[in-house]
Amino acid sequence: MRKSLFNWVAGLLSLALLWFSVVPATAETTVGSNVDSRVVLAFKANDEAIQANLPDGWGLLTLPNGPLAGSNLLVSFIDRHLALDAEGKPLAPHSDRSVALLAYGVKPGVEGARMFVLRVFEMPPVASSYDNGIAASISREFTLTGSADDTRTHQEVWRIEPETGGVLGLDLTYRSGRPGWSSSEAMPYSAVNPDFHRIYRYDQLVDLAMSAALGRELNGDIQLQSSIPEFAGVFDGDESLTGILVIPVYVREVLLP
């Protein structure tokens, strides 16, 4: 049986994230859906600084396997193109942008690991779905150049300015590969209220632009700069980039347990 490297990686990533998000099955209520494009950066950063953002009793987990192995922090840049309510009607506003910082934690007596949403920077009006949203000005410039039947040059420029001060900036340029289509489920918990979580069932088109664990180097350049005081200990200059996922298509159903 033959499989492309990219489909294999996408499938491996889906299995890894699903394993870390397992919770017992319960009754579910659909609350909405959305269509996004995303860029996810994975880092190995200061353990103590990230640990300080986890709920009491939870220990920080460094991902042990998969294309993002060695990572202890994920930064997801989200461009929401269409947000719908439970009945499939567009929300107001129907589009927005946000940036979420995520980490995995483990706790004695609790099976498996949980993904925690540490902070979300959001364009107003702030939904604060995980009780930790902060209003921010968020801009994105995106270009995709090159012939339709060849490798293309992908460029992303993001600038996030939270109302609490500081700036987070991303400048990514790389030669894209062949993406893989995958389906999975995630159950992120709030780091502020660790008893609350949402259920996300999604399909996504994933281009694994970089993976230190798999020896896949970025075919391009990236710069991430942060002067946000809250995360000065996380982005202290010693953090290392361990992976980049570029997700041009992300289709998700949102449920509550």
Coordinates of all heavy atoms in Angstrom, one line a residue, residues 28 30-31 44 67-68 73 85 87 98-99 113 115 121 136 141 154 159 167 169 179 197-198 201 222 230 241 254:
E28 N -24.2 15.7 23.8 CA -23.6 16.8 23.1 C -24.7 17.7 22.5 O -25.7 17.3 22.1 CB -22.6 16.3 22.1 CG -21.5 15.5 22.6 CD -20.7 14.8 21.5 OE1 -21.1 14.9 20.3 OE2 -19.7 14.2 21.8
T30 N -24.9 20.9 19.6 CA -24.2 21.7 18.6 C -24.5 23.1 18.9 O -25.7 23.5 19.0 CB -24.7 21.3 17.2 OG1 -24.3 19.9 17.0 CG2 -24.0 22.1 16.1
V31 N -23.5 24.0 18.9 CA -23.7 25.4 19.1 C -23.2 26.3 17.9 O -23.5 27.5 17.9 CB -22.9 25.8 20.4 CG1 -23.5 25.2 21.6 CG2 -21.4 25.6 20.3
K44 N 9.3 24.7 21.6 CA 9.8 24.3 22.9 C 10.3 25.5 23.6 O 11.3 26.1 23.3 CB 11.0 23.3 22.7 CG 11.5 22.7 24.1 CD 10.4 22.0 24.8 CE 11.0 21.3 26.1 NZ 11.1 22.3 27.2
P67 N 4.6 14.6 14.5 CA 5.3 15.6 13.8 C 5.7 16.8 14.7 O 6.6 17.6 14.3 CB 4.5 16.0 12.6 CG 3.1 15.6 13.0 CD 3.3 14.4 13.8
L68 N 4.9 17.0 15.8 CA 5.2 18.1 16.7 C 5.9 17.7 18.0 O 5.9 18.4 19.0 CB 3.9 18.9 17.0 CG 3.2 19.5 15.8 CD1 2.0 20.3 16.3 CD2 4.1 20.3 14.9
L73 N 4.3 24.2 23.5 CA 3.5 25.3 23.3 C 3.1 25.4 21.9 O 3.9 25.2 21.0 CB 4.2 26.6 23.7 CG 3.4 27.9 23.5 CD1 2.3 28.0 24.5 CD2 4.4 29.1 23.6
D85 N -24.3 30.0 13.4 CA -24.8 29.5 14.7 C -25.3 28.1 14.5 O -25.1 27.4 13.5 CB -26.0 30.4 15.1 CG -27.2 30.4 14.2 OD1 -27.3 29.5 13.3 OD2 -28.0 31.4 14.3
E87 N -28.1 26.9 14.0 CA -29.1 26.7 12.9 C -28.5 26.9 11.5 O -29.2 26.9 10.5 CB -30.3 27.6 13.1 CG -31.0 27.3 14.4 CD -32.2 28.2 14.7 OE1 -32.3 29.2 13.9 OE2 -33.0 27.9 15.5
S98 N -8.2 35.8 15.4 CA -7.8 35.6 16.8 C -6.5 34.9 16.8 O -6.1 34.3 15.7 CB -8.9 34.8 17.5 OG -9.1 33.6 17.0
V99 N -5.8 34.9 17.9 CA -4.6 34.1 18.1 C -4.7 33.4 19.5 O -5.0 34.1 20.5 CB -3.4 35.0 18.1 CG1 -2.1 34.2 18.4 CG2 -3.2 35.7 16.7
A113 N -4.0 13.2 28.6 CA -3.6 14.6 28.7 C -4.7 15.5 28.2 O -5.6 15.0 27.5 CB -2.3 14.8 27.9
M115 N -5.6 19.3 26.4 CA -5.2 20.6 25.8 C -5.9 21.8 26.5 O -7.1 21.8 26.7 CB -5.6 20.6 24.3 CG -5.3 22.0 23.7 SD -6.1 22.1 22.0 CE -5.0 21.1 21.1
F121 N -6.2 36.1 22.0 CA -6.3 37.5 21.6 C -7.4 37.6 20.5 O -7.3 36.8 19.5 CB -5.0 38.0 21.1 CG -3.9 37.9 22.2 CD1 -2.8 37.0 22.1 CD2 -3.9 38.8 23.3 CE1 -1.9 37.0 23.1 CE2 -3.0 38.8 24.3 CZ -1.9 37.8 24.2
A136 N -7.9 42.8 20.9 CA -6.7 43.1 20.2 C -7.0 43.5 18.8 O -8.0 43.1 18.2 CB -5.7 41.9 20.2
E141 N -1.8 39.9 6.3 CA -1.5 40.0 4.9 C -1.1 38.6 4.3 O -0.2 38.0 4.9 CB -0.4 41.0 4.6 CG -0.8 42.5 5.0 CD 0.3 43.4 4.8 OE1 1.3 43.1 4.0 OE2 0.2 44.6 5.3
H154 N 4.3 31.0 -0.5 CA 3.3 31.3 0.5 C 3.9 32.4 1.4 O 4.9 32.1 2.0 CB 2.8 30.1 1.2 CG 1.7 30.3 2.1 ND1 0.6 29.5 2.1 CD2 1.4 31.2 3.1 CE1 -0.3 29.9 3.0 NE2 0.2 30.9 3.7
R159 N 0.1 40.8 12.5 CA 0.5 41.8 13.6 C -0.7 41.8 14.6 O -1.8 42.1 14.2 CB 0.7 43.2 13.0 CG 1.2 44.2 14.1 CD 1.6 45.5 13.4 NE 2.0 46.5 14.4 CZ 3.2 46.7 14.9 NH1 4.2 45.9 14.4 NH2 3.5 47.6 15.7
V167 N 3.2 43.8 21.3 CA 2.9 43.5 19.9 C 3.4 42.0 19.7 O 4.5 41.7 20.2 CB 3.6 44.4 18.9 CG1 3.3 43.9 17.5 CG2 3.1 45.8 19.1
G169 N 4.2 39.7 16.4 CA 4.3 39.8 14.9 C 4.8 38.5 14.3 O 5.8 37.9 14.9
P179 N -0.3 19.4 0.3 CA -1.0 19.3 1.6 C -1.8 17.9 1.6 O -1.9 17.3 0.7 CB -2.0 20.4 1.6 CG -2.3 20.7 0.1 CD -1.0 20.4 -0.6
H197 N -15.0 22.6 28.8 CA -14.3 22.4 27.6 C -15.4 22.4 26.4 O -16.6 22.3 26.7 CB -13.6 21.0 27.6 CG -14.5 19.8 27.5 ND1 -15.1 19.3 28.6 CD2 -14.9 19.1 26.4 CE1 -15.9 18.3 28.2 NE2 -15.7 18.1 26.9
R198 N -14.9 22.5 25.2 CA -15.7 22.4 24.0 C -15.2 21.2 23.2 O -14.1 20.7 23.4 CB -15.6 23.7 23.2 CG -16.2 24.9 23.8 CD -16.0 26.2 23.1 NE -16.7 27.3 23.7 CZ -17.9 27.8 23.3 NH1 -18.4 27.3 22.2 NH2 -18.4 28.8 23.9
R201 N -15.1 19.0 16.1 CA -14.9 18.0 15.0 C -14.7 18.7 13.7 O -15.5 19.6 13.3 CB -16.2 17.1 14.9 CG -16.4 16.3 16.2 CD -17.4 15.2 16.0 NE -17.5 14.4 17.3 CZ -18.5 14.5 18.1 NH1 -19.5 15.3 17.8 NH2 -18.5 13.9 19.2
I222 N 11.2 32.5 8.5 CA 10.2 32.9 9.5 C 10.8 33.8 10.6 O 11.9 33.6 11.0 CB 9.5 31.6 10.1 CG1 8.4 32.1 11.1 CG2 10.6 30.8 10.9 CD1 7.5 30.9 11.6
E230 N 2.9 39.8 29.2 CA 2.4 38.6 29.8 C 3.2 37.4 29.5 O 3.3 36.5 30.3 CB 0.9 38.4 29.4 CG 0.3 37.1 30.0 CD -1.2 37.0 29.5 OE1 -1.6 37.7 28.6 OE2 -1.8 36.0 29.9
L241 N 11.7 26.9 17.7 CA 10.6 26.5 16.8 C 10.7 25.1 16.5 O 11.8 24.6 15.9 CB 10.6 27.4 15.6 CG 9.4 27.2 14.6 CD1 8.1 27.7 15.2 CD2 9.7 28.0 13.3
V254 N -18.8 22.9 16.2 CA -18.6 23.2 17.6 C -19.7 22.7 18.4 O -20.9 23.0 18.1 CB -18.4 24.8 17.8 CG1 -18.1 25.1 19.2 CG2 -17.4 25.3 16.8

